[in-house]
Short mmCIF file of all heavy atoms in Angstrom, two decimals:
data_model
loop_
_atom_site.label_atom_id
_atom_site.label_comp_id
_atom_site.label_asym_id
_atom_site.label_seq_id
_atom_site.Cartn_x
_atom_site.Cartn_y
_atom_site.Cartn_z
N VAL A 1 -12.91 -0.92 -15.74
CA VAL A 1 -11.54 -1.46 -15.40
C VAL A 1 -10.50 -0.40 -15.55
O VAL A 1 -9.71 -0.29 -14.62
CB VAL A 1 -11.30 -2.93 -16.02
CG1 VAL A 1 -9.81 -3.33 -15.74
CG2 VAL A 1 -12.19 -3.91 -15.55
N ILE A 2 -10.39 0.02 -16.82
CA ILE A 2 -9.40 1.00 -17.06
C ILE A 2 -9.55 2.30 -16.15
O ILE A 2 -8.53 2.86 -15.60
CB ILE A 2 -9.35 1.50 -18.51
CG1 ILE A 2 -9.20 0.18 -19.45
CG2 ILE A 2 -8.43 2.46 -18.82
CD1 ILE A 2 -9.24 0.41 -20.89
N GLY A 3 -10.81 2.71 -15.98
CA GLY A 3 -10.92 3.90 -15.08
C GLY A 3 -10.55 3.61 -13.69
O GLY A 3 -9.90 4.58 -13.11
N ILE A 4 -10.90 2.44 -13.24
CA ILE A 4 -10.44 2.14 -11.75
C ILE A 4 -8.91 2.00 -11.68
O ILE A 4 -8.41 2.61 -10.69
CB ILE A 4 -11.09 0.90 -11.32
CG1 ILE A 4 -12.56 1.11 -11.21
CG2 ILE A 4 -10.56 0.33 -10.06
CD1 ILE A 4 -13.46 -0.20 -10.85
N ILE A 5 -8.30 1.44 -12.67
CA ILE A 5 -6.86 1.33 -12.66
C ILE A 5 -6.22 2.73 -12.60
O ILE A 5 -5.28 3.01 -11.77
CB ILE A 5 -6.35 0.57 -13.83
CG1 ILE A 5 -6.75 -1.02 -13.75
CG2 ILE A 5 -4.72 0.71 -13.94
CD1 ILE A 5 -6.38 -1.79 -14.83
N ARG A 6 -6.75 3.56 -13.46
CA ARG A 6 -6.13 5.04 -13.51
C ARG A 6 -6.35 5.66 -12.16
O ARG A 6 -5.51 6.38 -11.62
CB ARG A 6 -6.78 5.72 -14.65
CG ARG A 6 -6.93 7.20 -14.61
CD ARG A 6 -5.40 7.78 -14.87
NE ARG A 6 -5.44 9.29 -14.67
CZ ARG A 6 -4.97 10.18 -15.40
NH1 ARG A 6 -4.50 9.88 -16.69
NH2 ARG A 6 -4.89 11.53 -14.96
N PHE A 7 -7.60 5.60 -11.74
CA PHE A 7 -7.88 6.22 -10.33
C PHE A 7 -7.05 5.71 -9.26
O PHE A 7 -6.45 6.58 -8.51
CB PHE A 7 -9.39 6.01 -10.09
CG PHE A 7 -9.74 6.64 -8.74
CD1 PHE A 7 -10.14 7.88 -8.62
CD2 PHE A 7 -9.89 5.77 -7.56
CE1 PHE A 7 -10.55 8.37 -7.42
CE2 PHE A 7 -10.21 6.25 -6.41
CZ PHE A 7 -10.57 7.59 -6.33
N ALA A 8 -6.89 4.40 -9.21
CA ALA A 8 -6.09 3.90 -8.07
C ALA A 8 -4.65 4.15 -8.17
O ALA A 8 -3.98 4.45 -7.25
CB ALA A 8 -6.29 2.29 -8.00
N TRP A 9 -4.17 4.06 -9.43
CA TRP A 9 -2.74 4.39 -9.77
C TRP A 9 -2.35 5.79 -9.38
O TRP A 9 -1.35 6.03 -8.67
CB TRP A 9 -2.48 4.13 -11.27
CG TRP A 9 -0.98 4.03 -11.52
CD1 TRP A 9 0.09 4.15 -10.78
CD2 TRP A 9 -0.54 3.74 -12.86
NE1 TRP A 9 1.17 3.93 -11.51
CE2 TRP A 9 0.88 3.76 -12.80
CE3 TRP A 9 -1.08 3.61 -14.27
CZ2 TRP A 9 1.72 3.50 -13.91
CZ3 TRP A 9 -0.32 3.45 -15.24
CH2 TRP A 9 1.12 3.48 -15.16
N GLU A 10 -3.12 6.86 -9.83
CA GLU A 10 -2.95 8.16 -9.44
C GLU A 10 -2.94 8.39 -8.02
O GLU A 10 -2.04 9.15 -7.54
CB GLU A 10 -4.00 9.00 -10.24
CG GLU A 10 -3.77 10.50 -9.96
CD GLU A 10 -4.68 11.39 -10.77
OE1 GLU A 10 -5.41 10.89 -11.63
OE2 GLU A 10 -4.61 12.64 -10.67
N TYR A 11 -3.88 7.92 -7.35
CA TYR A 11 -4.06 8.31 -5.91
C TYR A 11 -3.15 7.48 -5.01
O TYR A 11 -3.17 7.60 -3.83
CB TYR A 11 -5.46 8.16 -5.49
CG TYR A 11 -6.25 9.28 -5.94
CD1 TYR A 11 -6.95 9.45 -7.14
CD2 TYR A 11 -6.39 10.41 -4.99
CE1 TYR A 11 -7.65 10.57 -7.49
CE2 TYR A 11 -7.07 11.55 -5.45
CZ TYR A 11 -7.75 11.75 -6.65
OH TYR A 11 -8.34 12.72 -7.04
N SER A 12 -2.44 6.52 -5.66
CA SER A 12 -1.37 5.79 -4.78
C SER A 12 -0.15 6.65 -4.60
O SER A 12 0.74 6.23 -3.73
CB SER A 12 -1.06 4.49 -5.49
OG SER A 12 -0.30 4.75 -6.77
N TYR A 13 0.06 7.71 -5.27
CA TYR A 13 1.21 8.61 -5.11
C TYR A 13 0.80 9.82 -4.32
O TYR A 13 -0.36 10.27 -4.19
CB TYR A 13 1.61 9.14 -6.52
CG TYR A 13 2.26 8.10 -7.45
CD1 TYR A 13 1.42 7.38 -8.29
CD2 TYR A 13 3.51 7.75 -7.34
CE1 TYR A 13 1.89 6.45 -9.12
CE2 TYR A 13 4.13 6.71 -8.16
CZ TYR A 13 3.30 6.17 -9.07
OH TYR A 13 3.82 5.11 -9.87
N THR A 14 1.84 10.26 -3.57
CA THR A 14 1.62 11.44 -2.64
C THR A 14 1.48 12.75 -3.45
O THR A 14 2.24 12.90 -4.36
CB THR A 14 2.68 11.63 -1.64
OG1 THR A 14 2.99 10.35 -0.90
CG2 THR A 14 2.58 12.72 -0.72
N LYS A 15 0.61 13.57 -3.07
CA LYS A 15 0.41 14.92 -3.77
C LYS A 15 1.19 15.89 -3.08
O LYS A 15 1.06 16.09 -1.73
CB LYS A 15 -1.20 15.34 -3.61
CG LYS A 15 -2.14 14.38 -4.39
CD LYS A 15 -1.99 14.59 -5.93
CE LYS A 15 -3.05 13.72 -6.59
NZ LYS A 15 -2.94 13.81 -8.10
N TYR A 16 2.12 16.52 -3.68
CA TYR A 16 3.00 17.64 -3.17
C TYR A 16 2.53 18.93 -3.45
O TYR A 16 2.04 19.28 -4.59
CB TYR A 16 4.36 17.39 -3.55
CG TYR A 16 5.10 16.13 -3.13
CD1 TYR A 16 5.08 14.93 -3.86
CD2 TYR A 16 5.70 16.10 -1.84
CE1 TYR A 16 5.71 13.84 -3.28
CE2 TYR A 16 6.35 14.91 -1.36
CZ TYR A 16 6.34 13.83 -2.16
OH TYR A 16 6.91 12.66 -1.77
N PRO A 17 2.65 19.96 -2.48
CA PRO A 17 2.21 21.22 -2.78
C PRO A 17 3.03 21.99 -3.82
O PRO A 17 4.05 21.52 -4.16
CB PRO A 17 2.29 21.93 -1.26
CG PRO A 17 3.29 21.18 -0.63
CD PRO A 17 3.18 19.67 -1.14
N CYS A 18 2.58 23.11 -4.22
CA CYS A 18 3.22 23.92 -5.20
C CYS A 18 4.67 24.32 -4.68
O CYS A 18 4.92 24.56 -3.46
CB CYS A 18 2.47 25.29 -5.34
SG CYS A 18 3.28 26.38 -6.53
N GLY A 19 5.70 24.10 -5.54
CA GLY A 19 7.05 24.26 -5.26
C GLY A 19 7.84 23.13 -4.86
O GLY A 19 8.98 22.97 -4.84
N GLU A 20 7.12 21.88 -4.66
CA GLU A 20 7.73 20.66 -4.33
C GLU A 20 7.34 19.52 -5.27
O GLU A 20 7.53 18.43 -4.94
CB GLU A 20 7.33 20.27 -2.86
CG GLU A 20 7.66 21.40 -1.81
CD GLU A 20 7.25 20.98 -0.39
OE1 GLU A 20 7.01 19.80 -0.26
OE2 GLU A 20 7.16 21.79 0.39
N GLU A 21 6.86 19.95 -6.42
CA GLU A 21 6.48 18.90 -7.36
C GLU A 21 7.64 17.92 -7.77
O GLU A 21 7.38 16.83 -8.18
CB GLU A 21 5.99 19.65 -8.64
CG GLU A 21 4.62 20.39 -8.43
CD GLU A 21 4.97 21.75 -8.02
OE1 GLU A 21 6.11 22.14 -7.81
OE2 GLU A 21 3.99 22.55 -8.10
N GLU A 22 8.91 18.40 -7.71
CA GLU A 22 10.05 17.58 -8.09
C GLU A 22 10.12 16.35 -7.19
O GLU A 22 10.79 15.55 -7.60
CB GLU A 22 11.30 18.46 -8.09
CG GLU A 22 11.88 18.76 -6.81
CD GLU A 22 11.12 20.17 -6.23
OE1 GLU A 22 10.28 20.67 -6.96
OE2 GLU A 22 11.40 20.52 -5.14
N LYS A 23 9.52 16.36 -6.06
CA LYS A 23 9.66 15.22 -5.12
C LYS A 23 8.72 14.04 -5.61
O LYS A 23 8.95 12.83 -5.20
CB LYS A 23 9.21 15.64 -3.76
CG LYS A 23 10.17 16.84 -3.05
CD LYS A 23 9.64 16.98 -1.72
CE LYS A 23 10.43 18.05 -1.01
NZ LYS A 23 9.82 18.37 0.28
N SER A 24 7.84 14.35 -6.42
CA SER A 24 6.90 13.39 -6.88
C SER A 24 7.54 12.35 -7.81
O SER A 24 8.33 12.67 -8.71
CB SER A 24 5.71 13.97 -7.54
OG SER A 24 4.88 12.90 -8.17
N SER A 25 7.34 11.07 -7.65
CA SER A 25 7.83 9.97 -8.55
C SER A 25 6.60 9.50 -9.52
O SER A 25 6.89 8.36 -10.00
CB SER A 25 8.33 8.88 -7.75
OG SER A 25 7.43 8.39 -6.84
N MET A 26 5.64 10.20 -9.66
CA MET A 26 4.52 9.88 -10.46
C MET A 26 4.93 9.67 -11.93
O MET A 26 5.59 10.63 -12.59
CB MET A 26 3.43 10.93 -10.36
CG MET A 26 2.07 10.47 -10.97
SD MET A 26 0.72 11.77 -10.74
CE MET A 26 0.66 11.75 -8.99
N PRO A 27 4.73 8.64 -12.67
CA PRO A 27 5.02 8.40 -14.06
C PRO A 27 4.46 9.42 -15.01
O PRO A 27 3.30 9.88 -14.61
CB PRO A 27 4.63 7.03 -14.38
CG PRO A 27 3.58 6.69 -13.41
CD PRO A 27 3.89 7.44 -12.07
N ASP A 28 4.86 9.66 -16.11
CA ASP A 28 4.46 10.58 -17.07
C ASP A 28 2.94 10.34 -17.59
O ASP A 28 2.20 11.15 -17.82
CB ASP A 28 5.34 10.67 -18.33
CG ASP A 28 6.68 11.38 -18.00
OD1 ASP A 28 6.77 11.91 -16.85
OD2 ASP A 28 7.56 11.34 -18.92
N ILE A 29 2.63 8.88 -17.74
CA ILE A 29 1.35 8.60 -18.18
C ILE A 29 0.23 9.11 -17.17
O ILE A 29 -0.87 9.35 -17.57
CB ILE A 29 1.18 7.04 -18.20
CG1 ILE A 29 -0.18 6.56 -18.88
CG2 ILE A 29 1.34 6.37 -16.91
CD1 ILE A 29 -0.27 7.12 -20.20
N ILE A 30 0.57 9.41 -15.95
CA ILE A 30 -0.36 9.94 -14.91
C ILE A 30 -0.18 11.50 -14.82
O ILE A 30 -1.18 12.17 -14.89
CB ILE A 30 -0.09 9.29 -13.56
CG1 ILE A 30 -0.38 7.73 -13.61
CG2 ILE A 30 -1.00 9.93 -12.54
CD1 ILE A 30 -1.74 7.37 -14.02
N SER A 31 1.02 11.87 -14.69
CA SER A 31 1.33 13.26 -14.29
C SER A 31 1.09 14.17 -15.57
O SER A 31 0.83 15.42 -15.40
CB SER A 31 2.75 13.52 -13.76
OG SER A 31 3.74 13.09 -14.73
N LYS A 32 1.28 13.64 -16.75
CA LYS A 32 1.38 14.56 -17.91
C LYS A 32 0.14 14.26 -18.82
O LYS A 32 -0.03 14.96 -19.83
CB LYS A 32 2.61 14.34 -18.76
CG LYS A 32 3.89 14.78 -18.02
CD LYS A 32 5.11 14.63 -18.80
CE LYS A 32 6.39 15.25 -18.11
NZ LYS A 32 7.55 15.24 -19.01
N VAL A 33 -0.64 13.34 -18.52
CA VAL A 33 -1.85 13.04 -19.34
C VAL A 33 -3.07 13.67 -18.44
O VAL A 33 -3.46 13.03 -17.53
CB VAL A 33 -2.08 11.61 -19.63
CG1 VAL A 33 -3.43 11.39 -20.37
CG2 VAL A 33 -0.97 11.02 -20.46
N HIS A 34 -3.61 14.83 -18.88
CA HIS A 34 -4.74 15.40 -18.13
C HIS A 34 -5.90 14.56 -18.24
O HIS A 34 -6.11 13.78 -19.09
CB HIS A 34 -4.97 16.82 -19.00
CG HIS A 34 -5.83 17.61 -18.18
ND1 HIS A 34 -7.21 17.55 -18.18
CD2 HIS A 34 -5.71 18.70 -17.32
CE1 HIS A 34 -7.74 18.56 -17.46
NE2 HIS A 34 -6.77 19.28 -16.97
N TYR A 35 -6.73 14.63 -17.19
CA TYR A 35 -7.80 13.76 -16.95
C TYR A 35 -8.84 13.89 -18.16
O TYR A 35 -9.47 12.99 -18.39
CB TYR A 35 -8.54 13.95 -15.71
CG TYR A 35 -9.37 15.25 -15.53
CD1 TYR A 35 -10.79 15.19 -15.82
CD2 TYR A 35 -8.73 16.41 -15.05
CE1 TYR A 35 -11.46 16.37 -15.65
CE2 TYR A 35 -9.58 17.58 -14.86
CZ TYR A 35 -10.83 17.60 -15.12
OH TYR A 35 -11.69 18.67 -14.97
N LEU A 36 -8.94 15.07 -18.68
CA LEU A 36 -9.83 15.33 -19.84
C LEU A 36 -9.27 14.68 -21.07
O LEU A 36 -10.12 14.09 -21.87
CB LEU A 36 -10.02 16.89 -20.18
CG LEU A 36 -10.82 17.53 -18.97
CD1 LEU A 36 -10.89 19.06 -19.34
CD2 LEU A 36 -12.31 16.96 -18.93
N HIS A 37 -7.99 14.64 -21.24
CA HIS A 37 -7.34 13.94 -22.31
C HIS A 37 -7.49 12.43 -22.19
O HIS A 37 -7.73 11.65 -23.05
CB HIS A 37 -5.85 14.30 -22.41
CG HIS A 37 -5.63 15.76 -22.92
ND1 HIS A 37 -4.39 16.40 -22.80
CD2 HIS A 37 -6.52 16.48 -23.62
CE1 HIS A 37 -4.56 17.56 -23.29
NE2 HIS A 37 -5.70 17.69 -23.66
N PHE A 38 -7.28 11.97 -20.80
CA PHE A 38 -7.55 10.56 -20.59
C PHE A 38 -8.96 10.14 -20.93
O PHE A 38 -9.20 9.06 -21.42
CB PHE A 38 -7.26 10.24 -19.22
CG PHE A 38 -7.31 8.79 -18.77
CD1 PHE A 38 -6.36 7.91 -19.03
CD2 PHE A 38 -8.40 8.38 -18.11
CE1 PHE A 38 -6.45 6.53 -18.79
CE2 PHE A 38 -8.68 7.04 -17.78
CZ PHE A 38 -7.63 6.24 -18.17
N GLY A 39 -9.90 11.04 -20.70
CA GLY A 39 -11.28 10.88 -21.04
C GLY A 39 -11.52 10.55 -22.51
O GLY A 39 -12.30 9.64 -22.91
N ILE A 40 -10.73 11.18 -23.39
CA ILE A 40 -10.80 11.16 -24.79
C ILE A 40 -10.29 9.73 -25.21
O ILE A 40 -10.88 9.01 -25.96
CB ILE A 40 -10.04 12.13 -25.52
CG1 ILE A 40 -10.55 13.58 -25.29
CG2 ILE A 40 -10.08 11.90 -27.03
CD1 ILE A 40 -9.81 14.74 -25.77
N ILE A 41 -9.12 9.40 -24.63
CA ILE A 41 -8.49 8.04 -24.87
C ILE A 41 -9.43 6.93 -24.35
O ILE A 41 -9.64 5.91 -25.15
CB ILE A 41 -7.08 7.98 -24.02
CG1 ILE A 41 -6.07 9.02 -24.60
CG2 ILE A 41 -6.50 6.62 -24.21
CD1 ILE A 41 -4.91 9.19 -23.78
N LEU A 42 -9.99 7.02 -23.29
CA LEU A 42 -10.85 5.96 -22.71
C LEU A 42 -12.20 5.87 -23.65
O LEU A 42 -12.60 4.74 -23.88
CB LEU A 42 -11.30 6.28 -21.20
CG LEU A 42 -12.13 5.32 -20.46
CD1 LEU A 42 -11.41 3.97 -20.51
CD2 LEU A 42 -12.50 5.68 -19.06
N PHE A 43 -12.67 7.05 -24.01
CA PHE A 43 -13.81 6.94 -24.98
C PHE A 43 -13.47 6.14 -26.25
O PHE A 43 -14.20 5.33 -26.68
CB PHE A 43 -14.27 8.31 -25.22
CG PHE A 43 -15.47 8.33 -26.21
CD1 PHE A 43 -16.73 8.06 -25.74
CD2 PHE A 43 -15.27 8.78 -27.52
CE1 PHE A 43 -17.77 8.15 -26.63
CE2 PHE A 43 -16.30 8.75 -28.40
CZ PHE A 43 -17.67 8.45 -28.01
N GLY A 44 -12.25 6.41 -26.78
CA GLY A 44 -11.88 5.79 -27.99
C GLY A 44 -11.78 4.22 -27.73
O GLY A 44 -12.06 3.40 -28.59
#
């Protein structure tokens, strides 16, 4: 359930190319938590 929520949440936002990242409204929990770090959290 947590994995699906993370997946759907992340892909609900538009991906902007390099140089236009400031246009993204993605929250920090998605944009600043690397997927490998999220894997550690999920494992815990």
